[in-house]
Amino acid sequence: AAEAEAERVAAAAAAEAVVAGEAAAREAAAATARVALPEKAYVKIRGLLSRPESNGSVGVIEGRDEASGRYTVRLRDGSALALKLANLLQMAEVQLVGLEGELAPHEGALSTVFEREDEAEMYGVELRGGQSVAVGFSQVLVPDGAHGVVAGLQSASQYNGLVARVLEYDAASGRYLALVDGGKQLRLRRQNP
């Protein structure tokens, strides 16, 4: 009986070691994983110098070439372009918050980002009814799981320009918990993603 108990304890310990090894492998993979715009996400092309006629076109991300860092974007006409992140605006669904004045009736409304003006720190969003409005970066709340580009960080500027995936939003602090390449988690104000 003692021998059977010893075998049971050894088997349980071996099983725990396998589970711990699998967890460690998952953590290691997450730490080296690349955070990228998701496949099938709608994007708008902007700032393209080599093919300016494509600026303003809408397409769908089909994948990302890890070596070049370029995204394959399929356009409505069936053609595909390999584009840098800097030339893409994800047309994400967002919620409008903190609106005042004439925009107050749209508080809490779901809308789709279709434009981004970095200097003015404004988004152009389309409401569900088709109306377009301009709102400040801080007046947009992106959902958990959404992707965005980190911008405007001063004390950790090395993360500016990286794609981040929103893990959760903490309403009390007004910050997102977001994941960037290498498994690094950042706490970002609403105007930074």
Side-chain angles (χ1 to χ4, degrees), residues 116 123 137 142 148-151 164 166 176 188-193:
R116 177 184 170 116
Y123 285 115
F137 286 175
V142 298
V149 178
V150 178
V166 174
Y176 296 103
L188 303 171
R189 293 182 299 182
R190 284 203 311 256
Q191 61 264 36
N192 293 126

Side-chain angles (χ1 to χ4, degrees), residues 7-59:
E7 286 180 16
R8 187 191 66 72
V9 168
E16 285 179 23
V18 168
V19 169
E22 289 172 354
R26 281 192 305 273
E27 287 178 20
T32 59
R34 302 277 304 168
V35 177
L37 293 176
E39 289 186 19
K40 299 183 182 175
Y42 283 91
V43 293
K44 185 175 183 181
I45 299 172
R46 62 189 209 140
L48 198 57
L49 300 176
S50 63
R51 294 191 52 189
E53 69 278 5
S54 295
N55 289 329
S57 297
V58 174

Side-chain angles (χ1 to χ4, degrees), residues 65-193:
D65 180 347
E66 290 295 325
S68 69
R70 291 177 179 257
Y71 290 86
T72 301
V73 178
R74 179 76 51 193
L75 302 178
R76 290 181 182 167
D77 66 5
S79 64
L81 298 173
L83 300 170
K84 296 177 185 176
L85 177 62
N87 297 115
L88 301 174
L89 173 68
Q90 184 180 5
M91 298 177 70
E93 183 174 77
V94 297
Q95 183 178 16
L96 302 181
V97 295
L99 301 179
E100 299 175 349
E102 64 184 43
L103 294 178
H106 303 299
E107 180 70 19
L110 295 179
S111 59
T112 302
V113 172
F114 71 86
E115 193 62 68
R116 177 184 170 116
E117 179 55 53
D118 292 325
E119 288 183 32
E121 296 186 356
M122 301 287 285
Y123 285 115
V125 298
E126 182 176 311
L127 301 166
R128 292 269 169 99
Q131 179 184 4
S132 298
V133 296
V135 296
F137 286 175
S138 64
Q139 295 171 313
V140 167
L141 183 63
V142 298
D144 294 354
H147 291 70
V149 178
V150 178
L153 295 181
Q154 295 177 4
S155 63
S157 61
Q158 71 270 25
Y159 298 112
N160 289 333
L162 295 181
V163 175
R165 183 175 68 245
V166 174
L167 301 175
E168 65 183 11
Y169 178 68
D170 179 13
S173 69
R175 293 181 182 263
Y176 296 103
L177 177 62
L179 179 70
V180 295
D181 283 351
K184 176 71 176 170
Q185 293 184 2
L186 303 174
R187 294 211 170 269
L188 303 171
R189 293 182 299 182
R190 284 203 311 256
Q191 61 264 36
N192 293 126

